[in-house]
């Protein structure tokens, strides 16, 4: 198993365990049956683990993407892009030239 994947697995198991523990504490306060408390705690733990693993796989997939250039980087790398440049026009009148003090 990949070292990076092991780290993500440990992080996700710890996150799911802590989330399940908080849910268990909150549900034990509520007047529910023991079976429903155990079932809801188990489902919250499993769903937390699955969601965090899914997001980690999506993150790894995006980081290992073969495309180096993003769609949003295209206008910056376009050879036909005309950047704003300073124009030196002697016929241009400045605002402070029109003011007579």
């Amino acid at each position: 198993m990949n070292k990076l994947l092991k780290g993500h697995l440990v992080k996700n198991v710890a996150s799911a365990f802590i989330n399940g523990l908080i849910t268990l504490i909150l549900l034990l306060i509520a007047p529910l049956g023991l079976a429903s408390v155990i079932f809801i705690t188990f489902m919250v733990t499993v769903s937390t683990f699955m969601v965090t693993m899914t997001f980690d796989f999506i993150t790894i997939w995006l980081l290992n993407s073969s495309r180096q250039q993003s769609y949003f980087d295209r206008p910056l790398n376009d050879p036909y892009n005309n950047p704003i440049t300073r124009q030196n026009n002697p016929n241009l009148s400045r605002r402070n030239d029109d003011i007579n003090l």
Side-chain angles (χ1 to χ4, degrees):
M1 188 181 275
N2 190 1
K3 234 179 181 181
L4 181 66
L5 191 59
K6 283 182 184 179
H8 286 287
L9 185 66
V10 169
K11 175 186 64 101
N12 294 336
V13 167
S15 171
F17 177 75
I18 290 170
N19 204 3
L21 190 65
I22 291 169
T23 304
L24 178 66
I25 291 169
L26 291 175
L27 287 175
L28 285 176
I29 296 170
L32 296 173
L34 183 62
S36 64
V37 169
I38 292 172
F39 177 74
I40 293 171
T41 303
F42 178 74
M43 293 307 292
V44 166
T45 304
V46 170
S47 67
T48 301
F49 178 75
M50 291 179 70
V51 167
T52 54
M53 283 302 287
T54 302
F55 283 138
D56 284 342
F57 282 127
I58 290 172
T59 304
I60 290 170
W61 175 69
L62 288 173
L63 287 175
N64 294 333
S65 178
S66 63
R67 277 185 12 164
Q68 296 296 325
Q69 183 178 8
S70 168
Y71 175 77
F72 297 110
D73 293 336
R74 236 182 33 183
L76 298 175
N77 297 330
D78 189 11
Y80 300 107
N81 188 11
N82 294 326
I84 298 174
T85 58
R86 182 179 178 151
Q87 299 289 325
N88 291 326
N89 189 352
N91 298 329
L92 196 75
S93 84
R94 302 276 180 211
R95 219 177 247 197
N96 56 3
D97 293 341
D98 295 337
I99 300 174
N100 295 326
L101 294 175

